[in-house]
Every structure is written in C-alpha cells, then in structure tokens.
Amino acid sequence: MMGRGVRCFPPAGLLFLLLLLVPVSSGADDLGPVSRQGAQPVEIEADYLSSDRQTGLFLARGNVRIRQGDLTLLADEVQWHPQSGEARAPGTVSVIDAEGTLRGEDLVLNLETGQGRMAQGRFFLAEQNLYVTGEGIERLSAQQYRLARGTFTTCDGERPDWQFSARDLEVNLGRIAKGRHARFYLKDLPVLYVPFFFYPAKTERESGFLMPRYGYSDRRGWEVSLAYYQVIAPNQDATLHLDYLTELGIGKGLEYRYIFADHEGEAMLYHISGINDQGDAYAVDWRNVGELPGALRLGADVEYVSDRDYLQTFGEAAGEYNRDKTESKIFVSRSWDKYTLGGQLKYLKNLDQPTGTTLQRLPEVRFSAIPRRLAESPLFFGFDGSYDHFWRRAGDKGQRLSLRPTLAAPFQVGVLEVTPELAFRQRFYSASGAEDDFSQKGMVEFSTRLSSTFARVFSLQGRRISRIQHLIGPDATHSYTPRGDESRLPQFDAEDRIGGLHRVSYGLTNRLTARIEPPDGPAHYHEFLYFRLSQQYDIRESPADPLNPRDNLRPFSDLRAELLLRPTRWGYLDIDSRYDFQTAESKGMGFATLSVDAGVDDERGNGAALGYHYLREDLDYLEARLRTAILHPVHADLLYRHDLRSATTLETVLDLEYRSQCWSLFLTLSDRPDETRYLISFALTGVGRVGKFGGSLARAD
C-alpha cells in the first residue's frame, strides 16, 4: 500500500509512527543549526513505510518529511535503528529549523550521542546570513563542528562576492569559527592568504580585530588605523586603537563603554608619540551618568587635550577641530520634594591663551527651594543660594556666597495672571587682590510678571488631522533693582555688577497643535509650529526729553524672533534671530544675529539640510549637506561649509559608500584650507570596521 501523510500507513508503517511518537532519547541533540526537541511528538510523511521485526530497522522512502516541533527533515530515504540510535539518510537531505538550514548528502546521525557526519554539507545561519560549506561535515558536539576543506561567507548566491576557504575549519556555534591555511576570495579570485584566522559565528557581540582604515592627509601624512574590539561582559566592552602616521608618530588609544545598575558612560584615552620634531600629544574624554547611595546623582563630562594643535590635527568634524576651549565637569546633585542641592567641579582650558590666567570654579555649589505657600496666606516663599570658589594660577582669586530669598504673591484678574515678587540678594566676598579682603553687598529686587493664555480649537474634515488648536500666550515682566555702589566688590563675572536695573520684558507666543487620527492606530498630538516674538525696554535708557534725545541711548533691545516648524515628520525649519531697528536705519543691515536651519529626510537614505549662521562683525557662514541613496549601490554624503565674510570655503567633505549585499567600501575626501585628506576602509558583513580615527573626540558642538 502507498500513502501520503500519517493517516494512510500499512501496519509496519503504523508501528514506525507509534515508535516515533515516543521520545527516543532525551540526550539527542542537533546537527548543524538543527535543535532536537526532546519529548515533542514526531510526524512523518512518506510514500512508503516499512519495518524489519528481526533487525528492528525502520525504513521510510519517497518524499520523506519528518517534523518534530520546529524541526523538519526532508530526504528521499531515511533508515533508523532504535537499538543503536543511528539514523541514515542516503542521497540528498535537508534539515530545517528556526535557526537555519542544513543541506548535504549521506547523513549519518546517532540520536543517542548526538554525533554524526554528512558529505558535501552546507548550513546557513539565518540571523547572521552566514553560509558554511565543507566537503565533509563532522559533528563533534551540540555546538561544535569540523569541516574538511570548508568555506564560509555572508554573501548569497552560488558565486558569492567574497568568501574564506580553509583546509581545516572548526565552527563553534555561538562563539567563533577558526581555521588554518585560509584564503580570502573576491568572486573566484584569491587575494589574501593567512595561516590562521578567527571569525564570529554568533549574533551576539564578539571580540576581534576590526577592518582597518587607510588614508593620507597633508597634516598627518600616510596613516593606518587598526582597532581591536573586546567584549568584557554583557554590559562592558572596549576598543583598542593603534594608529601609525608618518608625519606625527604612533597613536595608542583605549575606548571603554559600560552600563551598570546605577551608572553608564564611556571613557577614552589617547596618546601619540611625536616624531620629526613633533611633541607628544594626548587627550582624555569621559562621560558618565549615574546614582550614588543616598539618592545622590553623579555626572561627569570631562574633556581635556594637551593643546589646540591636538583638536586641529585629530578633529574630524566642524565644531571639533576649530574649537578654542575644552571644559571638564564632575557634578553631584540631590533632589527632594521641594529642594535641590548640587555641586560641581568645573575646569576650563582656554586653548588660545595660557591656562594659568583662566578663571576656574573649583567648586561651585547651588541650592534651590521651590516657592511654597506660607501657611494659609497668599504668599509664596522661595530661596536660591550659591557658593563659588574662583581660582587660577596667576591673577586674582576669591570666593563668593550669594543668598537670594524671594517672596511672591500670585493672583488672577480675569484671564490675566499676575505674579509680583520681592527678593533680597546678599553677596559676601573673600578675595585676593581686592581693595578689601572681605566685602559684602545687599540689594533689593522687585519684579512683576503678567501673563495669559488664549486658545481656540478648529475642526477639520481631513483624513488624518481632525482638529487644530491655536494657542496665544502674551506675557510681560517689569524688573527693578535700585542702584548701589558695587565698585568695591571684586568682579569675577556678570553677577558681580547687577545694580541699577530697570526694564520691561515682553513677548508673544503662538503654538499650533494638531490632533492626528491615523486609520491604523491611536490618536496622538503633534505641535507643528512654535513662534515667539520678544523684546526688552530699558527704562534707564529712556530720554527724559523726547524732543531732545541723546544719541547714545538705546532703550529698546533687539527684537528676537524664534520659529520652530515641523510640518511633517520628515521636514523641519528652525529660525532664531535678533533684529536691531536702530542699526537697520543707519546701516541697512538690521540683524544682530540670524540662525536658520532647514532640512528634509525621507528615512530611506535621502535627505538635505541647509544652515545659515550670522553674528554681526564676527560670523557669516553657510553650511549645506546632501545625502542620497538614489544611486544605489553607491550612497553619498556631501558636506559644504563656506565663509561668506571672507568668501572662502571652510570645508568640503564627500563620503562615498559602495554597498554590496555582504560588503561595503568606504571612501572619504576632505578638503580644508590647511589640510586635504583621503580615507579608505572596507567592511565585510559580520565584521566591524574602524569607524573613526582613534584620537578623535567626535564632540561637535
């Protein structure tokens, strides 16, 4: 009798099925990516099933399909002897499970020991897209295999773009693949021989060497960047850098990344040994956020370089190589329901002048109490206090303690919210180089804030946008601090000269928020427009006689306009400007500052960004960026920065990537006024590459 499926078997076939439904051995494992499911029932389909009662041998022939859990075995014939536990599948056989697929010829597998072998085998790890082949595959254990004349690649196809071949290849699933006498092939062309190699054979992070990066620049000369990636623990890893630069020397670097229960961060150390009369250079970079016992919050943002030449030499992005200072901060804070206490050590290194004259705050402490109601009265009491220790190697040093209690009485008149506030600022000084070793000053401060909010909701008939809310918020604040004699006080920063303030600040805020109701999800809100106008009027500068104004009086400040526009999720427009009406009348150019940033991104590798930044008598430059994947497999990223004031190009950077299915080639061309650079790197799927030069801080501001 012939049959398909488990419902149409001869008696011998039925006996075979019943035996298969009983677990053969709880110790039987997998072959290649196969994972045996232990006691799970087995289903079998075949054109013919039979058994030999004397030998105990079971035979299935013709389109054999055996399923056990997520495991499926496909063959033309399967022989199984339950006493020895050995199963044989002559001819072509395939074994498929959730992890991947194993194909080959003449499978022999002992279900008791889990050991077996296969001729002309090929198995595929789906998550890594890793293909491994061998003239013979020998299974040594559940995860360990030995292949004779094996190959592996992450490329699809019968003629992969690249592959490694090895005379003796051992694959330890979940760990590494290693081999001897290996050759690297591009298509069918051998291009590299290595006597011994390692390759990750798992989806988790794996230690190993990254693909190197090569380049040339006018400043560095020829350069080679090598890196080794080390997995320390599931929550820690590190990268070791070794760089050779023909014009500068040998660079050594360490990057360390960590995530603990209460802390996470990363640290970098880098040192280069100078040659050709070049001095040594170094950098330290550390960022950390975390918590200490007692609900204390610890943070660190440390950045230190040996000199300005370091950033100019190793900076890879605008805002890094042209910086004129570095800043290091370590801070601790503690918050309660109504109070906040924080302190920090802050060290500033000015790269344009001797560091010894730079004023440091070591340390500075801040305490703040949120205003709270006094008993049942309408009054709210708040407090702000600070302590600063000013230090430098050369020049005046000192300390300042500032105490500022406040008393506010907010109330409402119709739609108008009114908040008058009375404050007293007391400052105490102890300073060297001042007329008095100890000085103090107390000053009264008055302010009144008026604000209101008006909103209206507009209903729409759109398919996705059902309503739009328009919110308008006018506000105005009057501030007054009487004049006082502050000439005998030390002057460390702007807080030491605050007397004689009398001004009115006012502004108008507009917000547009849409309610979006997608057809396949819950409704959500999106603020697509924020626009604010603000200005200050200095009453002290107001002329006493409006018919005879003094030319040097400027009662009105610049008019500030801020715009944040997000019409869609793929486009944005940001504008921040200050307009000077008095200068506009006299010189025709009224903007004191102007910053415009706009961009689009289709989230498919195509995008464009444009930025314009202007600061009167100091800055006037344009930045443009274009990314495109239209030319796939070539992906391009072009950055252009131009100084309009001097009519010079500040920087042009072109990044090109040729992206194949299983490898990528990267080429970077960078041109600056003082340096031209060429960089090239290569990446294989499954093997990382050196993404940045070891000495780069990559902290563009």
Side-chain angles (χ1 to χ4, degrees):
M1 179 183 293
M2 301 292 182
R4 291 292 299 162
V6 297
R7 297 182 178 84
C8 189
F9 295 139
L14 179 59
L15 177 61
F16 182 37
L17 173 62
L18 294 176
L19 287 174
L20 283 176
L21 289 172
V22 180
V24 176
S25 171
S26 62
D29 284 315
D30 58 346
L31 178 66
V34 176
S35 177
R36 190 164 186 269
Q37 306 301 313
Q40 292 189 1
V42 174
E43 299 179 6
I44 184 170
E45 298 179 5
D47 293 336
Y48 179 81
L49 296 173
S50 66
S51 66
D52 189 325
R53 294 182 181 275
Q54 294 181 349
T55 63
L57 181 68
F58 290 86
L59 176 65
R61 287 180 178 170
N63 299 312
V64 180
R65 178 188 297 269
I66 299 175
R67 289 193 297 267
Q68 187 182 34
D70 61 0
L71 180 150
T72 301
L73 186 150
L74 305 175
D76 293 329
E77 179 179 325
V78 175
Q79 303 172 11
W80 176 55
H81 200 294
Q83 293 182 357
S84 65
E86 185 176 89
R88 292 178 176 269
T92 303
V93 60
S94 297
V95 184
I96 306 169
D97 74 351
E99 303 251 346
T101 303
L102 169 69
R103 291 187 176 91
E105 299 177 1
D106 302 330
L107 170 68
V108 178
L109 176 65
N110 190 302
L111 300 179
E112 298 291 339
T113 64
Q115 296 179 341
R117 63 184 182 274
M118 172 184 284
Q120 303 300 325
R122 175 185 179 95
F123 64 83
F124 172 66
L125 297 177
E127 289 194 33
Q128 268 198 321
N129 204 65
L130 178 64
Y131 295 91
V132 181
T133 66
E135 293 182 2
I137 298 181
E138 181 181 0
R139 184 184 190 279
L140 305 177
S141 66
Q143 299 294 325
Q144 191 173 8
Y145 303 86
R146 179 182 295 138
L147 295 86
R149 298 189 181 277
T151 68
F152 71 89
T153 182
T154 56
C155 299
D156 298 330
E158 294 298 324
R159 294 180 64 246
D161 289 344
W162 68 266
Q163 66 177 355
F164 276 101
S165 70
R167 185 178 303 172
D168 298 303
L169 180 63
E170 292 186 11
V171 179
N172 195 332
L173 298 180
R175 297 186 64 186
I176 61 171
K178 63 181 180 179
R180 296 186 301 161
H181 303 294
R183 290 177 172 83
F184 179 67
Y185 287 82
L186 293 178
K187 294 293 186 180
D188 298 325
L189 179 66
V191 296
L192 179 66
Y193 167 81
V194 289
F196 197 77
F197 77 99
F198 293 91
Y199 188 89
K202 63 179 183 179
T203 57
E204 295 85 2
R205 299 173 303 155
E206 179 65 29
S207 302
F209 286 98
L210 305 179
M211 298 296 291
R213 190 174 80 163
Y214 310 92
Y216 174 82
S217 75
D218 299 338
R219 183 185 294 268
R220 303 179 186 179
W222 294 100
E223 61 184 67
V224 179
S225 298
L226 304 175
Y228 179 82
Y229 176 74
Q230 177 64 48
V231 177
I232 303 173
N235 62 324
Q236 302 174 71
D237 60 33
T239 304
L240 299 172
H241 292 271
L242 180 62
D243 308 316
Y244 174 64
L245 303 94
T246 58
E247 295 297 323
L248 296 179
I250 304 294
K252 296 81 63 183
L254 170 64
E255 295 179 43
Y256 171 61
R257 292 162 290 271
Y258 57 91
I259 300 177
F260 295 104
D262 298 322
H263 293 272
E264 64 176 278
E266 58 182 309
M268 187 274 281
L269 300 173
Y270 192 81
H271 176 268
I272 184 165
S273 304
I275 60 175
N276 299 332
D277 298 327
Q278 298 283 343
D280 288 10
Y282 60 90
V284 179
D285 190 33
W286 177 39
R287 280 164 279 185
N288 176 88
V289 293
E291 295 183 0
L292 297 174
L296 293 174
R297 186 165 183 82
L298 171 67
D301 191 357
V302 175
E303 180 185 31
Y304 186 86
V305 298
S306 54
D307 50 49
R308 182 166 190 168
D309 287 343
Y310 184 94
L311 293 177
Q312 292 176 340
T313 300
F314 298 112
E316 295 192 349
E320 181 184 3
Y321 61 77
N322 55 3
R323 295 177 58 189
D324 59 1
K325 65 181 179 180
T326 61
E327 188 176 88
S328 299
K329 294 184 293 185
I330 299 178
F331 46 91
V332 178
S333 63
R334 173 71 160 89
S335 295
W336 295 267
D337 183 32
K338 296 289 185 179
Y339 310 100
T340 300
L341 175 64
Q344 72 174 10
L345 299 173
K346 180 179 179 181
Y347 185 81
L348 181 68
K349 182 168 185 177
N350 193 324
L351 302 176
D352 286 336
Q353 64 184 35
T355 305
T357 61
T358 303
L359 192 65
Q360 313 291 350
R361 286 178 164 88
L362 300 171
E364 56 180 321
V365 181
R366 299 287 184 268
F367 176 79
S368 178
I370 299 175
R372 57 191 310 172
R373 185 185 297 273
L374 293 177
E376 299 299 324
S377 72
L379 301 177
F380 287 78
F381 176 79
F383 181 84
D384 291 296
S386 65
Y387 167 79
D388 295 274
H389 181 267
F390 299 101
W391 176 87
R392 53 188 158 195
R393 291 190 180 93
D396 297 340
K397 309 175 183 65
Q399 304 174 69
R400 181 182 66 207
L401 176 64
S402 178
L403 307 175
R404 187 177 183 271
T406 62
L407 200 62
F411 61 93
Q412 190 160 342
V413 180
V415 297
L416 188 64
E417 297 179 4
V418 184
T419 306
E421 182 181 272
L422 171 65
F424 183 80
R425 186 190 298 267
Q426 178 68 55
R427 291 165 293 170
F428 300 94
Y429 292 88
S430 175
S432 64
E435 295 185 19
D436 299 321
D437 292 338
F438 177 82
S439 56
Q440 60 87 27
K441 182 67 177 179
M443 306 183 71
V444 177
E445 300 175 355
F446 303 93
S447 68
T448 302
R449 174 180 170 81
L450 301 94
S451 63
S452 187
T453 301
F454 305 93
R456 182 176 178 181
V457 176
F458 300 89
S459 298
L460 303 178
Q461 302 299 322
R463 295 170 54 186
R464 291 173 54 86
I465 301 178
S466 60
R467 292 189 292 273
I468 292 180
Q469 181 192 63
H470 182 200
L471 184 147
I472 300 178
D475 62 85
T477 301
H478 171 255
S479 303
Y480 176 70
T481 301
R483 293 183 181 274
D485 184 10
E486 299 175 290
S487 61
R488 301 182 65 86
L489 299 179
Q491 186 168 5
F492 297 113
D493 57 23
E495 191 176 336
D496 300 318
R497 298 292 185 269
I498 57 177
L501 174 67
H502 194 193
R503 68 186 177 200
V504 177
S505 305
Y506 45 90
L508 181 66
T509 301
N510 283 266
R511 297 177 184 268
L512 290 176
T513 304
R515 176 182 169 88
I516 301 177
E517 299 180 354
D520 56 351
H524 61 277
Y525 295 90
H526 172 64
E527 182 178 282
F528 62 90
L529 184 140
Y530 171 89
F531 179 61
R532 176 173 173 80
L533 292 173
S534 60
Q535 195 178 36
Q536 293 180 354
Y537 181 80
D538 195 328
I539 299 176
R540 296 178 309 167
E541 295 289 305
S542 178
D545 183 0
L547 300 179
N548 185 26
R550 289 174 289 169
D551 293 337
N552 63 336
L553 296 180
R554 295 174 55 88
F556 288 99
S557 71
D558 301 334
L559 176 66
R560 184 178 183 184
E562 302 169 82
L563 172 67
L564 300 177
L565 181 62
R566 303 289 187 271
T568 67
R569 67 180 184 181
W570 49 264
Y572 67 92
L573 173 64
D574 296 343
I575 299 177
D576 189 352
S577 67
R578 288 176 170 83
Y579 193 83
D580 185 346
F581 288 95
Q582 182 169 319
T583 303
E585 294 177 0
S586 60
K587 298 182 179 180
M589 178 58 179
F591 284 105
T593 65
L594 176 62
S595 179
V596 181
D597 291 287
V600 293
D601 190 336
D602 67 355
E603 300 179 351
R604 294 191 297 269
N606 302 296
L610 181 66
Y612 174 73
H613 302 275
Y614 171 82
L615 178 61
R616 182 183 295 155
E617 299 180 358
D618 187 42
L619 187 68
D620 189 8
Y621 86 93
L622 181 72
E623 177 178 308
R625 188 158 201 163
L626 177 65
R627 295 185 300 108
T628 180
I630 297 176
L631 304 176
H632 184 80
V634 177
H635 295 243
D637 188 338
L638 176 64
L639 172 67
Y640 178 78
R641 299 174 60 244
H642 187 79
D643 189 337
L644 300 175
R645 186 177 303 277
S646 61
T648 58
T649 298
L650 299 175
E651 182 179 37
T652 303
V653 180
L654 175 62
D655 285 303
L656 297 174
E657 177 187 357
Y658 182 87
R659 187 177 301 175
S660 180
Q661 181 262 334
C662 55
W663 60 272
S664 291
L665 178 66
F666 302 88
L667 176 64
T668 299
L669 308 175
S670 173
D671 185 32
R672 303 175 190 161
D674 59 345
E675 182 184 24
T676 301
R677 297 180 61 200
Y678 308 90
L679 297 171
I680 186 170
S681 61
F682 184 75
L684 303 179
T685 301
V687 181
R689 70 183 180 103
V690 179
K692 70 181 184 69
F693 193 81
S696 173
L697 301 183
R699 279 196 173 201
D701 293 332

